[in-house]
Amino acid sequence: MNTFTLSIVAVTALIVAYIIGFPLIPALRRLKFGQTILDIGPKWHEKKQGTPTMGGFMFIIGITAAFAVGLFMLWQRELVRFDAVGGMKFFNAVSGFIMAACFGFMGFLDDWIKVAKKRNEGLSVNQKLLMQALIVSAYFTSRVIAGDASTVIHFPLLGSLDLWYFYYVVMGLGIIYIVNAVNLTDGVDGLCGSVTVVFCAAFMVICGMLGYHELSVLAAAAAGGCIGFLIWNFNPAKVFMGDTGSLFLGGLVCALGVGAKCEVVMILAAAVYIWEALTVLIQTTYFKISGGKRLFKMTPIHHSFEMKGWKENKIVFVFSFLAAIAGLTGVLLVYYDTL
């Protein structure tokens, strides 16, 4: 994969996302689309009350524009093909992006309800799960109709396992878990965006090694778009991505992993997201079983580190470093698996 193409795509997404911040943030302020901070959160987060949300539109627009540019550049270099194999790779990238956009739209509805009600509660849990299940079902259905009915999961260096129809159940639940895990990671200025940059950088390399050029371009666009957004989102944040952005990114993470048929590597590279959500499940379960006791000071786990006195920038650095280790491990696994 030509690094020049990936660089152009990433820089395009970065510039577009950053520039959109200039008109979007004041517009969100005028519309009073501010974040409502929960009383159960860290007390020092109260100063963030009213910070504009739905800033995810910045990188969604940037990623969309850069992805289109990247596909055009691939087409010019004749790397986009519409034969049986090439056509499926192209469809995987486009359908994955559409899935992410659907999750983003669901997040927008959630944000809109929060703004309208002026409280940090949007769609109900059941409404979210139902919509997510429908989005995932539509994604897999479209792939089967397009001709990709593979139900095989590959374990790098070990071999493959055909799950038959259970594949759709296992991966459907996996996608929903990861999408919500990415959403939970968005709780500290710059955290979700930074971890996603690292994940996408890893999958940009992985998809390139495996010949999924369209997905590699999508990963480069996502990394660049997140960096452009982070300029506005690093502590102290001038804007939050909202569920509009975090659910979109969650869908994009899954689109890259599932689209490149690297489900196992995706789980490894997404370790930080998964860890965040797992601490919430553990805390909730233990709280119920123990009659009100807690294992962690607060979940998701990044709040526990806040309660211990860690600054937000330190949390972002450490979590991003852990994500980099996980991502690099995934890259090395794929590399040695393809030798």
Side-chain angles (χ1 to χ4, degrees), residues 61 84 123 187 332:
I61 295 172
L123 296 168
L332 291 175

Side-chain angles (χ1 to χ4, degrees), residues 139-140 143 167 171 175 254-263 266:
Y139 171 63
F140 281 125
R143 284 173 53 127
Y167 172 87
M171 287 314 305
I175 290 175
C254 295
L256 294 172
V258 178
K261 301 186 185 301
C262 289
E263 296 91 345
M266 172 187 71

Side-chain angles (χ1 to χ4, degrees), residues 37-85:
I37 305 299
L38 284 172
D39 294 333
I40 61 174
K43 295 299 181 183
W44 51 89
H45 279 205
E46 292 177 357
K47 63 183 179 182
K48 301 182 182 185
Q49 182 82 16
T51 301
T53 188
M54 297 192 202
F57 279 117
M58 294 161 61
F59 56 72
I60 291 175
I61 295 172
I63 292 170
T64 302
F67 185 42
V69 169
L71 290 179
F72 177 73
M73 294 178 72
L74 290 180
W75 175 73
Q76 281 192 317
R77 297 180 58 220
E78 298 183 351
L79 290 174
V80 173
R81 299 176 181 175
F82 296 100
D83 53 19
V85 176

Side-chain angles (χ1 to χ4, degrees), residues 24 41 60 83 109 161 219 243 248 254 286 303:
L24 180 63
I60 291 175
D83 53 19
L109 292 178
L161 177 65
D243 285 358
F248 173 84
C254 295
Y286 185 75
H303 286 317

Side-chain angles (χ1 to χ4, degrees), residues 8 13 33 48 63 91 111 144-146 162 168 173 182 209 225 227 230 232 247 262 274 289 312 321 337:
I8 291 296
F33 285 0
K48 301 182 182 185
I63 292 170
F91 181 81
D111 285 334
V144 172
I145 292 175
D162 192 341
Y168 300 108
L173 293 174
V182 175
M209 286 194 296
I227 293 173
L230 283 169
W232 300 101
L247 291 177
C262 289
I274 293 171
I289 293 175
E312 292 190 35
F321 179 73
D337 188 58

